[in-house]
Amino acid sequence: MKKLLALLCVSWSVPADAAYVPNATEQAVLEAVLRDEVVSFSTGGHSFVGESQGIVPVTAASASQAMAARDRNARMPELKQPLLLSGALAATGSVAGQGEWFDFADTAAPKVRARLAPGQTLAGKPKAGQALALVCGKMDLAKDTLSFSGCEPAAAVAEREAARLKNALAAFYQGKPTDAKVATLAINISLYAQELPAGSGCPGDEARCGASIAAVKLPSLGHKNAVLQRLREAGVDLSAFSPRQQPLFGH
């Protein structure tokens, strides 16, 4: 996690020949958004990067409760998309040839167990009571155990997806076509940067910058149109953007 956060703190760079080069304030807002995305996803929360990849967050306790309440004669549902599983660790162990497994606390019948995919490891040795978040691709119910397998540490997935988002935003600034969510996020970054007061800490002070972003009120229609006009004049492709889209972060 610390390595990833350090990576995201490096100044955002866009090629000099890009259609639009974010100013220092926009770069700071972008970095703040990415940091929040990584923290949220890595701890099992909702995030833009998770939603964009169809990764649904769920706690181990809620998964256990849902399985306990289901019709036992019904077919076991299959995971069509990876699931972001989180909760407090109850116990851990390993089986030769099968890798590490983790039992979650606050789960009754069925208990919830997750198993890492081959080659995957967690940084450090997790202890009972520690919060754990994993991205898992398979789910199975056997006896009184709801098992998730093919799991990967959420922090590793967050790093990969944050890098993917950075590349998508860079492509947007270069004038390349992108999807509506990425376009809307980029526009919102410019909108929030425009609304920040002097002394916001963006850039220069991460904590103050984050607080300043959270305090921003929704921009007026006139300010929104001004940002869109500036991007259009720079040659950015806004064809995917819908004026009815709501801000993807903030209020």
Side-chain angles (χ1 to χ4, degrees), residues 92-225:
T92 182
S94 62
V95 177
Q98 297 184 21
E100 287 186 278
W101 55 262
F102 306 92
D103 284 348
F104 287 88
D106 303 320
T107 60
K111 71 178 182 181
V112 176
R113 171 172 290 186
R115 192 180 302 279
L116 291 179
Q120 294 293 331
T121 58
L122 286 177
K125 184 67 175 178
K127 300 178 181 179
Q130 179 178 329
L132 181 66
L134 302 168
V135 176
C136 304
K138 296 181 180 179
M139 179 177 67
D140 185 49
L141 180 64
K143 295 184 178 179
D144 289 328
T145 301
L146 177 61
S147 300
F148 292 88
S149 58
C151 301
E152 184 177 1
V157 179
E159 178 176 356
R160 186 168 63 244
E161 295 305 324
R164 189 199 304 272
L165 178 56
K166 288 178 71 173
N167 289 336
L169 287 167
F172 172 82
Y173 291 129
Q174 290 171 357
K176 298 177 180 178
T178 187
D179 64 45
K181 288 186 177 180
V182 172
T184 303
L185 177 59
I187 293 166
N188 281 322
I189 286 170
S190 292
L191 279 168
Y192 274 68
Q194 179 177 268
E195 299 297 310
L196 289 173
S200 65
C202 306
D205 187 326
E206 290 179 9
R208 187 149 48 95
C209 180
S212 297
I213 293 171
V216 169
K217 297 180 180 179
L218 285 178
S220 67
L221 179 60
H223 286 186
K224 191 172 187 177
N225 288 337

Side-chain angles (χ1 to χ4, degrees), residues 8-12 26-36:
L8 293 180
C9 288
V10 175
S11 294
W12 171 260
E26 290 170 324
Q27 291 174 16
V29 173
L30 172 55
E31 290 163 5
V33 170
L34 289 173
R35 284 193 297 272
D36 285 348

Side-chain angles (χ1 to χ4, degrees), residues 227-250:
V227 167
L228 293 174
Q229 183 62 27
R230 188 168 75 244
L231 291 169
R232 287 194 186 96
E233 290 176 351
V236 170
D237 185 349
L238 298 178
S239 59
F241 173 70
S242 169
R244 295 183 179 181
Q245 288 277 2
Q246 295 298 313
L248 297 177
F249 66 94

